[in-house]
Amino acid sequence: MRSRGRNVRARSTRSAAVPSTEASSAPGSLGWNRETATLALLSFAMLIVSLDQYIVVVALPDIARDLGYSAQTLQTVISAYSVASAGFLLFGGRAADLLGRRRILATGLVLYAGASLAGGLATGPGMLLAARAIQGLGGALVFPTTLALVNTTFPEGQVRNRALGIWGGAGAAGLVIGVLLGGLLTRAFGWEAVFLVNVALAVPALLLAFVLIPPDGEREKGRKFDLPGALTVTLGVTLIVFALVQGPGLGWLSPGILISAVAGLLLIGAFALIERRSSDPLMPPRLLSNRNLITGVVIAFMFMATFGSVLYFLSLYLQEILGYDALQTGAGFLIPTAVVVAGSTMAGQIVTRMGLRATLVAALGIGAIGAVALGLAISPDGSYVELIPGLVALSIGDGVVFTTMFITAATGVSDRDQGIASGVASTGSGVGAAVGLAILVLVATAGLDDLTGERLRIATADGIRTTLFVVAGGIVVTLLVAVARCPTPTAPPPAPVPAQWRRC
């Protein structure tokens, strides 16, 4: 009996010795300390990268006028970023695991700031496209590294879910804020400002990274960087995304598109063979057996193909159909921005209470209803007020799903593989954005070739309307994936029974 008492006291002593940083990870707590300061920095870095996805959209007419882009080549300002970003996300995630997460984050921010400065000073199309591609490369290093740092800083469960809610809120908000900020900056200072603002944002983030994030330790012995695998998958994904992005403009059967698509697929095949023979593969086979990661990747792909494409078409509708200028278009995104931020920030707590499956099914259901409502509100003679109900519902789904899909992908992944897991999930979202936009552009522009004037405006509105119904269908497919593959919440463990002491 005395021995049992000593064991209990020993356990109590060990519990009392837990460091304060661990205590801050108690359910529901994210007190202000170094960890939460780091989370604020990582969320800010994610916001910077997300901003640039769409910040140039409303500035495109001014860019075309000043730098001499044609209607056929203007889309390359967007695609140069998306192609480079999607191609290097997997590389960035694995580099963070092996070379050090602080090093890769700092490298990405340096590339991002430098490319943004070059973009703001560009005097011709070539210089701007090069700057956009390097921005995409910088973003491909920052995105998975911030996600990996969040996942390794906070333990799996309620505290990580809340942290990912804040990080996801910043990322989802950045997509929408980019359009708003782009409109304000273009109107006030010209299109150059949408690039130069990134310098002012990235430089402080770079300096704070060295203050808040601990130095990277020595590389783990026996682990090496799978360079052949990295080169083949990076080039393969880049070529496939290039074909998807440029296919609608150049023609799907044009020699450049066919060569890019075939070469990309061959390189992906070569990557699979290399990984099977590698002693330390870029993508460890154990990750492919993680059901949560694969489910998260599929949902991330579908999310960006559906929710992620709506911003482009909504911006087009406001400018081309309703006649809004850059500032008015940006202001039109105030409501969805607020709703997306709220949804993303609360998503972590909702997952903790309801579980992954219930959260995703509810959010995707609301998003699908929102897409249908938005499609019904689109018309040549419509108004912004008619869009609001659909915008709110779609934005709720957007915000909650964005955070939840990354919580899903990180569940059950060890700390040593969080970088590559984040790279896989973010690659899925990047490729999904390219695939979704390529398909939806075909839907939206079908039958517009020979139209002009008012007939073109009416047909464009009808095309955007049809596109939103297709988006709703894609969201429903994503909902079915969540139902089939997401785990149901496990029953909580029974509460411990207090020790019953009796006299011996």
Side-chain angles (χ1 to χ4, degrees):
M1 210 54 214
R2 285 193 299 270
S3 174
R4 183 178 179 184
R6 282 195 300 269
N7 287 341
V8 172
R9 284 193 297 272
R11 286 195 295 271
S12 300
T13 302
R14 285 195 294 270
S15 294
V18 173
S20 60
T21 55
E22 212 171 296
S24 70
S25 293
S29 68
L30 269 179
W32 185 256
N33 51 32
R34 188 185 184 96
E35 288 181 350
T36 49
T38 302
L39 175 61
L41 168 64
L42 298 174
S43 300
F44 181 60
M46 182 60 185
L47 174 69
I48 297 171
V49 172
S50 297
L51 278 175
D52 227 51
Q53 300 264 2
Y54 289 105
I55 196 172
V56 302
V57 168
V58 294
L60 287 177
D62 291 13
I63 292 173
R65 183 183 63 248
D66 289 355
L67 298 186
Y69 282 94
S70 66
Q72 290 72 31
T73 60
L74 186 58
Q75 185 61 27
T76 58
V77 178
I78 302 293
S79 60
Y81 182 96
S82 59
V83 169
S85 177
F88 281 89
L89 283 167
L90 201 59
F91 172 89
R94 193 55 167 171
D97 282 340
L98 296 181
L99 304 180
R101 290 169 185 139
R102 190 174 81 167
R103 293 188 190 99
I104 298 302
L105 177 61
T107 302
L109 289 170
V110 167
L111 288 172
Y112 204 80
S116 297
L117 179 61
L121 301 176
T123 56
M127 183 175 177
L128 184 63
L129 289 181
R132 286 289 286 168
I134 297 173
Q135 274 187 322
L137 172 57
L141 300 182
V142 173
F143 186 168
T145 305
T146 58
L147 179 55
L149 282 165
V150 172
N151 288 333
T152 54
T153 301
F154 299 93
E156 185 174 314
Q158 182 174 0
V159 176
R160 182 192 287 179
N161 291 348
R162 291 193 66 189
L164 283 172
I166 295 169
W167 174 89
L175 296 174
V176 186
I177 293 173
V179 183
L180 170 61
L181 187 60
L184 293 172
L185 292 174
T186 302
R187 177 71 174 270
F189 305 107
W191 65 265
E192 295 89 348
V194 303
F195 293 96
L196 297 178
V197 69
N198 292 320
V199 181
L201 297 175
V203 170
L206 175 63
L207 298 177
L208 286 172
F210 290 100
V211 175
L212 295 174
I213 301 175
D216 297 310
E218 296 182 2
R219 285 182 58 182
E220 185 178 335
K221 292 182 179 180
R223 300 187 77 186
K224 60 182 181 180
F225 195 81
D226 179 14
L227 186 59
L231 291 175
T232 52
V233 73
T234 297
L235 188 55
V237 171
T238 300
L239 288 172
I240 290 172
V241 173
F242 173 82
L244 291 168
V245 169
Q246 296 300 320
L250 299 179
W252 293 106
L253 298 180
S254 63
I257 297 301
L258 289 176
I259 291 171
S260 295
V262 171
L265 291 173
L266 290 175
L267 285 166
I268 295 298
F271 169 70
L273 293 176
I274 290 170
E275 295 303 280
R276 291 180 61 184
R277 299 180 179 182
S278 175
S279 58
D280 192 8
L282 185 75
M283 186 185 299
R286 60 183 173 274
L287 289 181
L288 300 178
S289 63
N290 185 319
R291 183 182 178 90
N292 290 322
L293 174 60
I294 300 304
T295 302
V297 172
V298 173
I299 293 175
F301 176 95
M302 293 297 297
F303 172 86
M304 288 304 296
T306 53
F307 288 97
S309 299
V310 170
L311 289 175
Y312 174 83
F313 294 101
L314 184 58
S315 177
L316 185 67
Y317 176 72
L318 294 177
Q319 291 184 288
E320 300 296 329
I321 307 304
L322 299 187
Y324 284 16
D325 62 19
L327 182 59
Q328 291 172 317
T329 300
F333 284 90
L334 280 172
I335 291 175
T337 297
V339 177
V340 165
V341 171
S344 294
T345 304
M346 295 179 62
Q349 300 176 61
I350 296 172
V351 169
T352 301
R353 293 183 180 183
M354 297 176 54
L356 289 169
R357 177 188 287 181
T359 302
L360 282 169
V361 169
L364 290 166
I366 294 171
I369 293 171
V372 171
L374 196 58
L376 292 173
I378 296 288
S379 71
D381 302 315
S383 67
Y384 182 80
V385 173
E386 294 173 316
L387 303 177
I388 291 176
L391 272 179
V392 170
L394 187 68
S395 299
I396 291 172
D398 185 315
V400 174
V401 174
F402 184 87
T403 297
T404 308
M405 68 189 189
F406 287 113
I407 293 176
T408 303
T411 301
V413 177
S414 65
D415 283 358
R416 74 197 300 266
D417 290 328
Q418 281 292 346
I420 186 61
S422 301
V424 172
S426 50
T427 297
S429 68
V431 175
V435 172
L437 194 58
I439 293 172
L440 295 175
V441 164
L442 288 177
V443 173
T445 58
L448 299 183
D449 291 343
D450 299 324
L451 301 180
T452 58
E454 183 63 13
R455 292 178 61 197
L456 176 60
R457 193 180 77 86
I458 293 172
T460 300
D462 290 341
I464 295 173
R465 179 189 181 97
T466 302
T467 299
L468 284 163
F469 294 147
V470 174
V471 166
I475 295 174
V476 170
V477 171
T478 312
L479 187 154
L480 296 176
V481 171
V483 170
R485 292 191 57 89
C486 279
T488 53
T490 56
V497 178
Q500 300 295 319
W501 299 96
R502 61 181 177 84
R503 294 176 181 270
C504 292

